[in-house]
């Protein structure tokens, strides 16, 4: 490929990374807000959070991108640029999956931990911040790593609205070169490298969060008790 075509691909990589980071940030916020709401003591809060989760998990991310970019302006008069339309659609969609990860990790915490917080007169927010989340967050990292990789692959969907992401740039290069094998092999390699770096980073984060959790208690060494010879003789008499 020529230098100009490589620059086109690199611009596509940059757009994909922007979509990935911004979409992941939005999905993380949505995941924790909705996931915590799924465990709320008020049924109406749980119902609204559950409704959101079911709606966005049950709809296609591709159709959601179409809806945000094409239907939202007609319905409400809000025209979003392609970047923010893609971030909004992907963040809300994958945030619904992340909400179930958060809910599952919170409910998996030993109920005795909650009861201990209640016994200490902690408020619900204090129990969540000081007891539940520190134990639940490390367990969320592996499924969140898979979700981020899925989000990375989902960024290719924004090419349908004309965004110059990696998939869109690759299509333009393919049309210019009339060579499918070479360019799509490069695209597979680039996506794989980004996903590999993501998973390694998430594993490092998981190890750091789990550091110091679940360590075995240090065994105390007890010195042997020596009996004085005189006391031993007296006892024998």
């Amino acid at each position: 490929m020529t230098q100009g075509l490589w620059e086109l691909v690199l611009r596509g990589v940059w757009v994909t990374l922007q979509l990935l980071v911004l979409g992941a940030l939005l999905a993380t916020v949505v995941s924790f807000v909705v996931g915590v709401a799924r465990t709320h003591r008020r049924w109406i809060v749980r119902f609204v959070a559950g409704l959101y989760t079911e709606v966005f998990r049950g709809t296609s991310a591709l159709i959601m991108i179409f809806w945000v970019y094409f239907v939202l302006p007609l319905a409400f008069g809000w025209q979003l640029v392609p970047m923010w339309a893609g971030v909004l659609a992907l963040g809300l969609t994958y945030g619904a999956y992340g909400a179930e990860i958060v809910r599952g990790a919170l409910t998996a915490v030993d109920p005795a931990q909650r009861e201990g917080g209640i016994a200490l007169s902690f408020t619900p927010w204090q129990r969540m911040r000081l007891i539940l989340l520190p134990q639940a967050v490390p367990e969320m990292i592996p499924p969140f790593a898979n979700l981020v990789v899925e989000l990375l692959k989902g960024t290719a969907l924004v090419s349908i609205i004309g965004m110059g992401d990696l998939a869109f740039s690759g299509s333009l290069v393919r049309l210019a070169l009339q060579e499918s094998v070479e360019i799509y092999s490069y695209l597979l390699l680039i996506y794989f490298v980004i996903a590999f770096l993501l998973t390694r980073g998430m594993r490092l984060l998981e190890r750091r969060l789990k550091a110091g959790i679940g360590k075995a208690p240090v065994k105390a060494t007890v010195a042997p008790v020596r009996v004085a010879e005189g006391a031993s003789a007296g006892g024998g008499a």
Side-chain angles (χ1 to χ4, degrees), residues 95-107:
Y97 293 95
E100 283 299 286
I101 296 175
V102 174
R103 182 195 64 81
L106 289 175
T107 55

Side-chain angles (χ1 to χ4, degrees), residues 72-79:
L72 197 62
L74 298 177
F76 302 99
W78 300 339
Q79 180 64 61

Side-chain angles (χ1 to χ4, degrees), residues 151-223:
L151 176 59
L152 168 64
K153 294 184 288 186
T155 57
L157 297 175
V158 301
S159 60
I160 61 174
I161 57 176
M163 279 199 66
D165 72 311
L166 182 57
F168 186 81
S169 300
S171 298
L172 295 181
V173 174
R174 184 188 67 82
L175 292 174
L177 297 178
Q178 294 297 314
E179 179 61 48
S180 299
V181 176
E182 179 184 1
I183 183 58
Y184 284 128
S185 298
Y186 283 138
L187 293 186
L188 285 176
L189 180 61
I190 293 172
Y191 276 114
F192 171 76
V193 170
I194 297 174
F196 180 82
L197 295 176
L198 284 174
T199 54
R200 289 299 178 269
M202 295 294 278
R203 287 184 182 179
L204 178 61
L205 177 61
E206 181 185 4
R207 285 197 296 268
R208 289 191 175 184
L209 289 175
K210 286 186 175 181
I213 297 179
K215 288 184 176 180
V218 179
K219 295 182 179 180
T221 56
V222 180

Side-chain angles (χ1 to χ4, degrees), residues 116-137:
I118 295 173
L120 293 172
S121 300
F122 283 178
T123 64
W125 168 242
Q126 288 176 323
R127 293 197 298 271
M128 181 65 64
R129 181 172 59 90
L130 300 175
I131 299 177
L132 300 179
L133 284 178
Q135 299 180 67
V137 168

